[in-house]
Amino acid sequence: MKDLSRVVHRPSVSHEGFSSLAVPTYRASTIVFENAEEYANRKTRGPDGYTYGLHGTPTTKTLEAQLTALEGGERTVIVPSGQAGITIVFLTVLRPGDKVLIPDTAYPPVKGFCVNYLEPRGIHHEVYDPMIGGEIDALIDETVKLVWMESPGSTTMEFQDIPAIVAAAKAKGVLTGCDNTWATPLLFKPIAHGVDFSMEALTKYVGGHSDILLGSITVNEVKHHRALKDTTRMIGIGVSPDECALALRGIETMGVRIKHMGEVSTDFARRIREFPGVRKVLHPTLPDCPGHEYWERDFAGANGVFTVVADPIDEHVLGDALSSMKIFSIGASWGGTHSLIVPMSISRECSATPGGEDGVLLRISVGLEDKDELWEDLDTLFKTLAAKRGAGLAAAQ
Ligand SMILES: *Cc1c(COP(=O)(O)O)cnc(C)c1O
C-alpha cells in the first residue's frame, strides 16, 4: 500500500488476549458490509442490528442492554436527553385527534411540549391531579391513547398510585408511560408494575457527574421498540457513543452513590423540619410527603433529592442567603456529586390541583461532599432565614 492509502487504511491489530473491564467507545457513522449483497439486504437486520452509526454502535447497545436488564424490560432506546425521552414516546404513540393524560406535577417542559407543539398539530392533552389513583378511569375516553406518569412529581414530590393508574388504563386498553428519573431502576421498576414505557433522564443519577445529557426509554414489548426506533430513524435522532461511555461509567457507582445520598438526605430531612419557619419537608420517608404510603409500598428507598417548604421571605434576602452557602451550588439538574440547592416557583396554569404552596420551595440535591460540612451550610442557611424573618417582623411592627 502506498503512503496516501496507508494513512487512511490502518493495519489491523490482534484483539486476542485483550480482555478489559471497560466498555470500548465505538464511534461510527459508516458501518461497512462484507459484500454488496449484505449491503443491499441491510434492512433485514432490523432495529437490533447495525446498519448506520446514527442507529447505534456496540457502545450505545451496551448501555441499552444494561438499562434493559436493570429495568426488567424487553428493549431500551437511548436518546439525546430526558426531555427527548418523553417527546419521542408521545410522538410515537399519539396521532391527530388523540389525547394524552399528564400529571399536573410533571417535569414542566412536558406541559410546554403538549401546549406549544402537540396542540397546534391536533394532538390534545388533559392535566390530571397526580394523586388521582384509580379515579383516572373517569378521564379515559376513547380519544385517550396514553397515560403519562411521573413519580414523584418534579419539586412537589407527589408519589403516585402507579398500580391503580395502570390498572385503570389497562382495563381500557390504553398505553402507559412513566418518568422514572427520580427513582432510577434501583428504587422503582415501572415495567414490573405493568407500565409500557419507562423513561429516564440518564443526565441525572445514571450519569451522576453533571457532565452528560442523555435519556432512555425501556419498553416491555418488542413491538414498542420497533415503533420508537422508527420514530428516531425518521426524525434523525441518535446519540454520541462518548456520552454513552460516560453513562456506562457513571452507572457502575450508582448503587453506592444513591445509597449514601439517600441516608444523608433522610437524616437532613428530619433535622431541617426542626428549624423555625420550615413548614414541611417533602421527603419520601416523612408522612408530609404526598403519597408517602405508595413510596413505602412500591419503592426500594430514597435518594438525595427532596424539597423544603418554608415560610415566605423576601426574594433578595433568600438569594443572598443561598449565594453565601459554601458547599452547595445553585443550579438546575440534579443527581450529581456536587450538592445543589434551588428556589423553585410553582406556577401552574390550567391547574388540576388547586391551592399549591404559597411559601418558598427549596429543592435540595445532596451530593457526595463531607456530611458535616453540608450540614453546617444548611444550618447557617435556615438560621439566617429565620433571623431575617424575625427582623422583618420586628421592623414591620
Ligand atoms: C431533568 C429531568 C428531565 C429532563 O432531562 P434532560 O436530560 O435534562 O432533558 C425529565 N424528567 C425529570 C423528572 C427530570 O428531572
Side-chain angles (χ1 to χ4, degrees), residues 80-84 86 107 150 152 154 179 181-182 199 201-204 212-215 333-334 363:
S81 68
Q83 174 70 359
I86 301 164
Y107 177 65
E150 181 180 317
S154 281
D179 185 331
T181 301
W182 183 90
M199 166 270 152
L202 307 178
T203 306
K204 310 283 169 61
I212 61 166
L213 289 153
L214 275 182
S333 208
W334 41 259
R363 189 181 63 200

Side-chain angles (χ1 to χ4, degrees), residues 310-324:
D311 286 340
I313 190 151
D314 178 78
E315 219 176 283
H316 300 288
V317 171
L318 176 64
D320 286 347
L322 291 175
S323 313
S324 47

Side-chain angles (χ1 to χ4, degrees), residues 23 27 50 59 72 98 169 200 212 255 260 267 335 357 370 380:
V23 183
R27 298 189 187 87
Y50 298 111
T59 310
D98 291 348
E200 176 143 10
I212 61 166
H260 172 79
D267 182 35
E357 299 288 350
D370 181 81
T380 306

Side-chain angles (χ1 to χ4, degrees), residues 24-45:
T25 303
Y26 289 100
R27 298 189 187 87
S29 52
T30 301
I31 309 283
V32 289
F33 295 78
E34 281 297 315
N35 51 53
E37 196 186 341
E38 277 219 22
Y39 178 71
N41 293 331
R42 65 191 183 281
K43 285 224 165 68
T44 61
R45 294 185 175 191

Side-chain angles (χ1 to χ4, degrees), residues 134 136-137 140 161-173 176 193-194:
I136 198 156
D137 173 67
I140 305 178
D161 189 351
I162 289 183
I165 294 173
V166 169
K170 272 199 190 309
K172 288 188 171 159
T176 55
H193 288 84

Side-chain angles (χ1 to χ4, degrees), residues 17-349:
F18 177 76
S19 187
S20 164
L21 293 172
V23 183
T25 303
Y26 289 100
R27 298 189 187 87
S29 52
T30 301
I31 309 283
V32 289
F33 295 78
E34 281 297 315
N35 51 53
E37 196 186 341
E38 277 219 22
Y39 178 71
N41 293 331
R42 65 191 183 281
K43 285 224 165 68
T44 61
R45 294 185 175 191
D48 288 327
Y50 298 111
T51 49
Y52 186 51
L54 191 64
H55 312 318
T57 74
T59 310
T60 53
K61 288 198 190 281
T62 304
L63 179 58
E64 288 175 354
Q66 173 83 316
L67 291 164
T68 300
L70 281 168
E71 292 269 355
E74 275 295 325
R75 291 287 191 286
T76 297
V77 179
I78 309 290
V79 294
S81 68
Q83 174 70 359
I86 301 164
T87 59
I88 287 165
V89 171
F90 285 22
L91 290 173
T92 301
V93 172
L94 303 167
R95 308 272 139 97
D98 291 348
K99 195 201 285 178
V100 56
L101 303 182
I102 60 168
D104 204 12
T105 50
Y107 177 65
V110 178
K111 211 179 271 178
F113 178 70
C114 290
V115 171
N116 300 311
Y117 190 91
L118 293 181
E119 213 53 72
R121 288 162 177 79
I123 298 172
H124 312 296
H125 69 281
E126 187 170 341
V127 178
Y128 68 88
D129 175 350
M131 305 313 291
I132 196 168
E135 284 167 36
I136 198 156
D137 173 67
L139 302 183
I140 305 178
D141 60 27
E142 64 283 0
T143 66
V144 172
K145 293 289 150 45
L146 177 68
V147 177
W148 191 249
M149 293 166 277
E150 181 180 317
S151 185
S154 281
T155 304
T156 40
M157 297 294 293
E158 294 85 351
F159 284 84
Q160 299 195 264
D161 189 351
I162 289 183
I165 294 173
V166 169
K170 272 199 190 309
K172 288 188 171 159
V174 170
L175 294 171
T176 55
C178 180
D179 185 331
N180 201 36
T181 301
W182 183 90
T184 83
L186 294 184
L187 302 182
F188 183 65
K189 295 194 195 291
I191 302 263
H193 288 84
V195 172
D196 300 290
F197 299 91
S198 175
M199 166 270 152
E200 176 143 10
L202 307 178
T203 306
K204 310 283 169 61
Y205 276 121
V206 170
H209 295 75
S210 315
D211 55 2
I212 61 166
L213 289 153
L214 275 182
S216 67
I217 309 156
T218 303
V219 294
N220 59 356
E221 284 189 60
V222 174
K223 71 172 184 205
H224 297 320
H225 178 244
R226 184 168 277 275
L228 291 171
K229 288 295 275 186
D230 281 346
T231 304
T232 57
R233 192 188 67 249
M234 286 186 280
I235 296 181
I237 286 171
V239 295
S240 153
D242 296 279
E243 305 264 295
C244 291
L246 287 172
L248 281 162
R249 163 173 287 214
I251 204 170
E252 288 196 35
T253 57
M254 187 168 73
V256 286
R257 282 188 283 112
I258 288 186
K259 182 168 186 291
H260 172 79
M261 291 162 174
E263 282 165 10
V264 173
S265 79
T266 299
D267 182 35
F268 284 0
R270 277 173 173 65
R271 289 154 79 181
I272 289 170
R273 270 209 300 190
E274 306 305 323
F275 287 111
V278 169
R279 290 183 181 175
K280 43 185 174 174
V281 179
L282 306 176
H283 188 281
T285 58
L286 298 173
D288 277 345
C289 194
H292 163 74
E293 64 275 25
Y294 306 130
W295 170 79
E296 258 186 338
R297 185 188 66 191
D298 300 333
F299 285 61
N303 60 28
V305 176
F306 65 104
T307 299
V308 177
V309 185
D311 286 340
I313 190 151
D314 178 78
E315 219 176 283
H316 300 288
V317 171
L318 176 64
D320 286 347
L322 291 175
S323 313
S324 47
M325 292 179 87
K326 294 196 173 71
I327 311 278
F328 278 85
S329 306
I330 301 170
S333 208
W334 41 259
T337 56
H338 291 249
S339 293
L340 299 178
I341 189 163
V342 266
M344 306 292 288
S345 71
I346 301 300
S347 61
R348 289 198 189 122
E349 302 130 28

